[in-house]
Amino acid sequence: MKKDAIGDSLSRVDGRLKVTGGAKYSGEYKVPNLTYGVLVSATIASGTVTALDTRAAERAPGVLAVITPFNAPKVPGYQAGAERPVRGLKLFNDNKIYFNSQPIALVVADTFERATYAACLVKATYNTEPFETDFHKNIDKGVTPQKGNYKDYVRGEANAYKNAPVVVEEEYLLPTEVHNPMELHVTTAFWDGDDKVTLYTKSQGVKGSQRSIAAAFGLNPDNVQINSRFVGGAFGSSLRTWPHEIAAAQAAKLVKRPVKLTLTREQMFTQVGYRPLTIQKIGLGATADGKLIGITHESHSQTAVYEEFTEGAVNVSQFLYNSPNVNTLYKVVPLNVGVPAPMRGPGEATGSFALESALDELSYKLNLDPIELRLRNYTDTDPERNKPWSSKYLKECYQKGAEAIGWADRKAQPGANKEGEWLVGYGIGCGAFGAYRGNAVAKIKLTADGSVNIQSATSDIGPGTGTSMVLIAADTLGIPADKITFELGNSAFPNAPTQGGSATVSSVGSAVHDVCVALKQKLYIMAGKPADSMEPIDYVAVLKQNNMPSVELTQESKGNPEAQKYSMYSFSAHFAKVHVHPLTGQVKIKKIVACVDAGKIVNHKTASSQMIGGAVGGVGMAMTEEAVFDNRYGRYINGNFADYHVPVNADIQQIEAIFIDKPDPVLNPVGTKGIGEISLIGVAPALANAIYNATGKRVRELPITPDKLI
Amino acid sequence: MSTTKPFTPTDGEDNSNGTRRDFLKQTSLLTAIALTPGTVVKAAENQWDEKFAGVFEKQALHLEVNGVKHELMVEPRVTLLEVLREYLDLTGTKKGCDRGQCGACTVHVNGVRINSCLSLALTNDGKKITTIEGLAKEEELHPMQEAFIKHDGFQCGYCTSGQIMSAVALLKEGHTGSETEIREFMSGNICRCGAYPNIVKAIQEVKGGMV
């Protein structure tokens, strides 16, 4: 019998569905009597919409309703004093405009074309108020966030770097970067009576969506059914329930027919979050032999005037390197913009760009190899929390990554390395991301034909969650993977956390592991053997002996209390080799090596793909992506794929993923730590540092476009 | 006093008509359907012209999709992408931008790859369309589909249909001469999960006939 085990390279269990067009995403379910919703966006950035002339739209063929702030049925969760208030923008609840492109009406018609046409007939009258979208002009208005632990941090002495023998003090800018998953955000909603609603919606967490929709409409969560079996990418943009999802349900209730609301690509830039524009100041002070004396990290990020968004952009400076003196400051600048959202590697990806770039600058001032500088400041315990790491193999990452990129061929002197007419450079960028584990429940059913089905209400936005879960179950039960099915993306399944923070395998994988162990023990007992017996038994024979057609179990898996004693992180060292053309500034990324300590790797095939994908995301962050505002109107001028450049196939050459692949002994029974975020954190600085090594040009404002290199 | 009005993004809207079909009131169409002038006024007030137009504007469309013939009536503004997804329930072809900028909607029209979101359905009258659903021969996958699974040429799967349709066309176009050429000619298909290196490997393998 074939043994499928953790650590294999299993092809995706849903691969066939994805390559044949059989995988159904949220906008693709055939629902009878379907109607189509199209949002109308505001063309001012602040003020009120005083009137909406919807007559022409309402009269247009096929139009069933035009929902506006003036006629929208009240959403209970939006009202003052609501039992379960809905956070964020309350669409159509009042006539206030907080940002340009905020929806002001929703047109519902019997075809997509008719709804789209009617939407352009809606005429708005505004009372315009002054607005602010210029981050640089408003940076002084930055405030310490009200929620969360974002107080100024000091360890030792503040700004100690200033008095060090060798000092780096620089400012780094990360422009707004938009998730832009390939699937447009889409919701299909329909009601059964007045108190039961079903949504097919793009969601990273069906249980979270269920709670939010229930809160919005004042429903019992059991009466809200959320389906999100296939999610066409998200990268954080579907971590929460957005106003347009509630609007789709609101519209469906009004027209008493199913409504499918699909955002346009342009609306994807304004309605579902983004990685916020951030300016960071880094101060590093070191001794002449490269020991850090002080780190100062100050960050200002944009947020919305109507909702505060925060992320741990300065956290990485508090623990990644050993420095007796560290101080950080984090402020947000409220502007007339849509609210940001966590985007792959939230906080740390931003912070590590600044910290790892500054460290590289320091290495040149010290005339020290960048890896050697990191080794001299390596820390075997968490200096922020004074706790041991649950596991940390970052040194091994440096070593293996350096070998794979050919670090020995790097020349310390910028511009000294050439291949033909191209300048050659090597760079390193490191990062860390917290390793988490949430409570999760899994239900297992073994049937007399030998098949096993497992259910849990998690999601799969692309990493191959189902495939990993099948492999964990196959390994734990000792049966072939093709006997096992794993179902997700359904709010009726047992509880699982939202897919985010690289915690799904850690959380849901633990539940799958535990429910398999429980099933195994039950079968051993049924067979009259000790529960912890190692002797192989025939599960099907046990069922038959007991005259049972199937056996079913549900198991909750909670975190290890021992974990409190440790600091738990995944660590990454990304390496880049670039060619830069001295005349045109063209950059060719010859190779990226992503070496990570992410604990035990469950499925090498999908994990490698995830690492490669994170590196591609990092290439976008470093080289091409920037959402640009026209501050005269407070509106994006490049809200499409022709003007907002994401990496395409021609931009990417060789990417190699290397795993340390040593189990973490604390976090969960499988020993995983998570790779989704860490795959991107550190990529951008590795590229910026490689480009400096090639050219001697230090670019501190992303993206590194050719004009900045000539 | 004469001043030049500064340009604002909303200026253009002042010139638009109240309804799309105002032109109908100035044509002989309504006369042709034998309505008296008084009825024309009433028709206009009740938006009957819109309703008539809704019927008249639909035109016959003959498509052969994956070997199956379809007779449809569609408005001229309906794209091939919408016909596939919303009229024929062939949702394997994906909508990613509606602007021809992402490639998720790639299909073959008479054997040539196009972005179906940029093609009005009626301009494809009488043509043969192949979508991702038509690539496999019943249970037997196309070698490109097999290769995408083997090399993990996707993650979320949303761009995959378009990638595979482009990849299959690439072989026919003769644009698989080198890795660089493959990358260049696959660059109209965006993959936000970043599966590009694996996609290239899949295409190389099929080109080499190794699957």
Side-chain angles (χ1 to χ4, degrees), chain A residues 403-422:
Chain A
E403 274 168 27
I405 199 75
W407 192 258
D409 296 331
R410 174 184 179 271
K411 291 195 168 68
Q413 177 68 33
N417 204 345
K418 279 193 166 189
E419 282 178 26
E421 59 179 333
W422 296 83

PDB file of all heavy atoms in Angstrom, chain A residues 403-422:
ATOM      1  N   GLU A 403      24.715  29.995  -0.457  1.00  0.00           N
ATOM      2  CA  GLU A 403      25.263  28.981  -1.370  1.00  0.00           C
ATOM      3  C   GLU A 403      24.458  28.928  -2.672  1.00  0.00           C
ATOM      4  O   GLU A 403      25.018  28.898  -3.773  1.00  0.00           O
ATOM      5  CB  GLU A 403      25.200  27.599  -0.717  1.00  0.00           C
ATOM      6  CG  GLU A 403      26.389  27.286   0.164  1.00  0.00           C
ATOM      7  CD  GLU A 403      26.146  26.034   1.009  1.00  0.00           C
ATOM      8  OE1 GLU A 403      25.363  25.164   0.571  1.00  0.00           O
ATOM      9  OE2 GLU A 403      26.732  25.965   2.106  1.00  0.00           O
ATOM     10  N   ALA A 404      23.139  28.948  -2.525  1.00  0.00           N
ATOM     11  CA  ALA A 404      22.277  28.763  -3.702  1.00  0.00           C
ATOM     12  C   ALA A 404      22.331  29.957  -4.655  1.00  0.00           C
ATOM     13  O   ALA A 404      22.181  29.794  -5.862  1.00  0.00           O
ATOM     14  CB  ALA A 404      20.836  28.502  -3.257  1.00  0.00           C
ATOM     15  N   ILE A 405      22.547  31.162  -4.122  1.00  0.00           N
ATOM     16  CA  ILE A 405      22.565  32.337  -4.998  1.00  0.00           C
ATOM     17  C   ILE A 405      23.964  32.550  -5.600  1.00  0.00           C
ATOM     18  O   ILE A 405      24.128  33.269  -6.582  1.00  0.00           O
ATOM     19  CB  ILE A 405      22.104  33.608  -4.235  1.00  0.00           C
ATOM     20  CG1 ILE A 405      21.657  34.722  -5.210  1.00  0.00           C
ATOM     21  CG2 ILE A 405      23.205  34.154  -3.317  1.00  0.00           C
ATOM     22  CD1 ILE A 405      20.321  34.501  -5.844  1.00  0.00           C
ATOM     23  N   GLY A 406      24.959  31.925  -5.007  1.00  0.00           N
ATOM     24  CA  GLY A 406      26.343  32.138  -5.455  1.00  0.00           C
ATOM     25  C   GLY A 406      26.943  33.385  -4.829  1.00  0.00           C
ATOM     26  O   GLY A 406      27.619  34.180  -5.492  1.00  0.00           O
ATOM     27  N   TRP A 407      26.692  33.557  -3.544  1.00  0.00           N
ATOM     28  CA  TRP A 407      27.130  34.753  -2.806  1.00  0.00           C
ATOM     29  C   TRP A 407      28.644  34.956  -2.898  1.00  0.00           C
ATOM     30  O   TRP A 407      29.139  36.086  -2.849  1.00  0.00           O
ATOM     31  CB  TRP A 407      26.684  34.622  -1.336  1.00  0.00           C
ATOM     32  CG  TRP A 407      26.811  35.868  -0.520  1.00  0.00           C
ATOM     33  CD1 TRP A 407      27.790  36.169   0.395  1.00  0.00           C
ATOM     34  CD2 TRP A 407      25.923  37.004  -0.519  1.00  0.00           C
ATOM     35  NE1 TRP A 407      27.561  37.399   0.972  1.00  0.00           N
ATOM     36  CE2 TRP A 407      26.419  37.934   0.415  1.00  0.00           C
ATOM     37  CE3 TRP A 407      24.751  37.323  -1.220  1.00  0.00           C
ATOM     38  CZ2 TRP A 407      25.792  39.169   0.686  1.00  0.00           C
ATOM     39  CZ3 TRP A 407      24.130  38.539  -0.961  1.00  0.00           C
ATOM     40  CH2 TRP A 407      24.653  39.439  -0.026  1.00  0.00           C
ATOM     41  N   ALA A 408      29.368  33.839  -3.048  1.00  0.00           N
ATOM     42  CA  ALA A 408      30.833  33.923  -3.122  1.00  0.00           C
ATOM     43  C   ALA A 408      31.279  34.758  -4.323  1.00  0.00           C
ATOM     44  O   ALA A 408      32.382  35.323  -4.325  1.00  0.00           O
ATOM     45  CB  ALA A 408      31.421  32.516  -3.209  1.00  0.00           C
ATOM     46  N   ASP A 409      30.424  34.855  -5.342  1.00  0.00           N
ATOM     47  CA  ASP A 409      30.768  35.642  -6.533  1.00  0.00           C
ATOM     48  C   ASP A 409      30.453  37.129  -6.364  1.00  0.00           C
ATOM     49  O   ASP A 409      30.703  37.920  -7.264  1.00  0.00           O
ATOM     50  CB  ASP A 409      29.993  35.118  -7.760  1.00  0.00           C
ATOM     51  CG  ASP A 409      30.395  33.695  -8.106  1.00  0.00           C
ATOM     52  OD1 ASP A 409      31.560  33.327  -7.822  1.00  0.00           O
ATOM     53  OD2 ASP A 409      29.540  32.950  -8.625  1.00  0.00           O
ATOM     54  N   ARG A 410      29.844  37.477  -5.232  1.00  0.00           N
ATOM     55  CA  ARG A 410      29.501  38.884  -4.997  1.00  0.00           C
ATOM     56  C   ARG A 410      30.770  39.694  -4.774  1.00  0.00           C
ATOM     57  O   ARG A 410      31.714  39.240  -4.132  1.00  0.00           O
ATOM     58  CB  ARG A 410      28.613  38.981  -3.756  1.00  0.00           C
ATOM     59  CG  ARG A 410      28.288  40.406  -3.308  1.00  0.00           C
ATOM     60  CD  ARG A 410      27.489  40.379  -2.000  1.00  0.00           C
ATOM     61  NE  ARG A 410      27.186  41.722  -1.537  1.00  0.00           N
ATOM     62  CZ  ARG A 410      27.975  42.437  -0.734  1.00  0.00           C
ATOM     63  NH1 ARG A 410      29.129  41.935  -0.318  1.00  0.00           N
ATOM     64  NH2 ARG A 410      27.629  43.651  -0.352  1.00  0.00           N
ATOM     65  N   LYS A 411      30.801  40.901  -5.348  1.00  0.00           N
ATOM     66  CA  LYS A 411      31.922  41.808  -5.095  1.00  0.00           C
ATOM     67  C   LYS A 411      31.438  42.911  -4.165  1.00  0.00           C
ATOM     68  O   LYS A 411      30.367  43.488  -4.369  1.00  0.00           O
ATOM     69  CB  LYS A 411      32.426  42.393  -6.410  1.00  0.00           C
ATOM     70  CG  LYS A 411      33.112  41.341  -7.298  1.00  0.00           C
ATOM     71  CD  LYS A 411      33.920  42.021  -8.399  1.00  0.00           C
ATOM     72  CE  LYS A 411      34.843  41.038  -9.115  1.00  0.00           C
ATOM     73  NZ  LYS A 411      34.145  40.022  -9.916  1.00  0.00           N
ATOM     74  N   ALA A 412      32.233  43.208  -3.143  1.00  0.00           N
ATOM     75  CA  ALA A 412      31.811  44.179  -2.144  1.00  0.00           C
ATOM     76  C   ALA A 412      31.672  45.585  -2.733  1.00  0.00           C
ATOM     77  O   ALA A 412      30.816  46.361  -2.314  1.00  0.00           O
ATOM     78  CB  ALA A 412      32.809  44.184  -0.981  1.00  0.00           C
ATOM     79  N   GLN A 413      32.516  45.876  -3.717  1.00  0.00           N
ATOM     80  CA  GLN A 413      32.510  47.216  -4.299  1.00  0.00           C
ATOM     81  C   GLN A 413      31.357  47.364  -5.308  1.00  0.00           C
ATOM     82  O   GLN A 413      31.323  46.642  -6.308  1.00  0.00           O
ATOM     83  CB  GLN A 413      33.865  47.435  -5.010  1.00  0.00           C
ATOM     84  CG  GLN A 413      33.998  48.751  -5.738  1.00  0.00           C
ATOM     85  CD  GLN A 413      34.033  49.941  -4.782  1.00  0.00           C
ATOM     86  OE1 GLN A 413      34.545  49.846  -3.671  1.00  0.00           O
ATOM     87  NE2 GLN A 413      33.473  51.047  -5.214  1.00  0.00           N
ATOM     88  N   PRO A 414      30.409  48.280  -5.073  1.00  0.00           N
ATOM     89  CA  PRO A 414      29.317  48.440  -6.032  1.00  0.00           C
ATOM     90  C   PRO A 414      29.837  48.803  -7.421  1.00  0.00           C
ATOM     91  O   PRO A 414      30.800  49.584  -7.547  1.00  0.00           O
ATOM     92  CB  PRO A 414      28.491  49.594  -5.461  1.00  0.00           C
ATOM     93  CG  PRO A 414      28.846  49.627  -4.014  1.00  0.00           C
ATOM     94  CD  PRO A 414      30.270  49.171  -3.925  1.00  0.00           C
ATOM     95  N   GLY A 415      29.235  48.235  -8.425  1.00  0.00           N
ATOM     96  CA  GLY A 415      29.605  48.548  -9.806  1.00  0.00           C
ATOM     97  C   GLY A 415      30.832  47.802 -10.296  1.00  0.00           C
ATOM     98  O   GLY A 415      31.230  47.960 -11.441  1.00  0.00           O
ATOM     99  N   ALA A 416      31.427  46.967  -9.436  1.00  0.00           N
ATOM    100  CA  ALA A 416      32.676  46.299  -9.804  1.00  0.00           C
ATOM    101  C   ALA A 416      32.451  44.982 -10.536  1.00  0.00           C
ATOM    102  O   ALA A 416      33.364  44.419 -11.110  1.00  0.00           O
ATOM    103  CB  ALA A 416      33.510  46.047  -8.554  1.00  0.00           C
ATOM    104  N   ASN A 417      31.206  44.507 -10.499  1.00  0.00           N
ATOM    105  CA  ASN A 417      30.924  43.182 -11.035  1.00  0.00           C
ATOM    106  C   ASN A 417      30.167  43.323 -12.353  1.00  0.00           C
ATOM    107  O   ASN A 417      29.117  43.946 -12.400  1.00  0.00           O
ATOM    108  CB  ASN A 417      30.070  42.418 -10.010  1.00  0.00           C
ATOM    109  CG  ASN A 417      30.193  40.919 -10.166  1.00  0.00           C
ATOM    110  OD1 ASN A 417      30.678  40.430 -11.182  1.00  0.00           O
ATOM    111  ND2 ASN A 417      29.756  40.203  -9.148  1.00  0.00           N
ATOM    112  N   LYS A 418      30.725  42.747 -13.422  1.00  0.00           N
ATOM    113  CA  LYS A 418      30.075  42.880 -14.731  1.00  0.00           C
ATOM    114  C   LYS A 418      29.995  41.544 -15.441  1.00  0.00           C
ATOM    115  O   LYS A 418      30.899  40.715 -15.327  1.00  0.00           O
ATOM    116  CB  LYS A 418      30.869  43.852 -15.612  1.00  0.00           C
ATOM    117  CG  LYS A 418      30.582  45.316 -15.312  1.00  0.00           C
ATOM    118  CD  LYS A 418      31.133  46.193 -16.418  1.00  0.00           C
ATOM    119  CE  LYS A 418      30.584  47.607 -16.332  1.00  0.00           C
ATOM    120  NZ  LYS A 418      30.944  48.395 -17.496  1.00  0.00           N
ATOM    121  N   GLU A 419      28.885  41.345 -16.157  1.00  0.00           N
ATOM    122  CA  GLU A 419      28.777  40.223 -17.084  1.00  0.00           C
ATOM    123  C   GLU A 419      28.404  40.836 -18.419  1.00  0.00           C
ATOM    124  O   GLU A 419      27.278  41.308 -18.588  1.00  0.00           O
ATOM    125  CB  GLU A 419      27.724  39.213 -16.611  1.00  0.00           C
ATOM    126  CG  GLU A 419      28.226  38.302 -15.488  1.00  0.00           C
ATOM    127  CD  GLU A 419      27.170  37.314 -14.973  1.00  0.00           C
ATOM    128  OE1 GLU A 419      26.244  36.963 -15.722  1.00  0.00           O
ATOM    129  OE2 GLU A 419      27.292  36.914 -13.794  1.00  0.00           O
ATOM    130  N   GLY A 420      29.335  40.879 -19.329  1.00  0.00           N
ATOM    131  CA  GLY A 420      29.108  41.589 -20.586  1.00  0.00           C
ATOM    132  C   GLY A 420      28.910  43.066 -20.273  1.00  0.00           C
ATOM    133  O   GLY A 420      29.657  43.659 -19.505  1.00  0.00           O
ATOM    134  N   GLU A 421      27.839  43.656 -20.844  1.00  0.00           N
ATOM    135  CA  GLU A 421      27.604  45.075 -20.574  1.00  0.00           C
ATOM    136  C   GLU A 421      26.755  45.295 -19.327  1.00  0.00           C
ATOM    137  O   GLU A 421      26.467  46.423 -18.953  1.00  0.00           O
ATOM    138  CB  GLU A 421      26.948  45.729 -21.797  1.00  0.00           C
ATOM    139  CG  GLU A 421      25.627  45.088 -22.169  1.00  0.00           C
ATOM    140  CD  GLU A 421      24.976  45.768 -23.361  1.00  0.00           C
ATOM    141  OE1 GLU A 421      25.221  46.958 -23.582  1.00  0.00           O
ATOM    142  OE2 GLU A 421      24.194  45.099 -24.062  1.00  0.00           O
ATOM    143  N   TRP A 422      26.311  44.191 -18.697  1.00  0.00           N
ATOM    144  CA  TRP A 422      25.407  44.305 -17.552  1.00  0.00           C
ATOM    145  C   TRP A 422      26.178  44.384 -16.232  1.00  0.00           C
ATOM    146  O   TRP A 422      27.125  43.638 -16.021  1.00  0.00           O
ATOM    147  CB  TRP A 422      24.449  43.119 -17.506  1.00  0.00           C
ATOM    148  CG  TRP A 422      23.525  43.062 -18.683  1.00  0.00           C
ATOM    149  CD1 TRP A 422      23.799  42.534 -19.912  1.00  0.00           C
ATOM    150  CD2 TRP A 422      22.200  43.581 -18.754  1.00  0.00           C
ATOM    151  NE1 TRP A 422      22.708  42.682 -20.743  1.00  0.00           N
ATOM    152  CE2 TRP A 422      21.710  43.322 -20.061  1.00  0.00           C
ATOM    153  CE3 TRP A 422      21.361  44.236 -17.834  1.00  0.00           C
ATOM    154  CZ2 TRP A 422      20.430  43.704 -20.467  1.00  0.00           C
ATOM    155  CZ3 TRP A 422      20.087  44.604 -18.240  1.00  0.00           C
ATOM    156  CH2 TRP A 422      19.639  44.342 -19.554  1.00  0.00           C
TER     157      TRP A 422
END
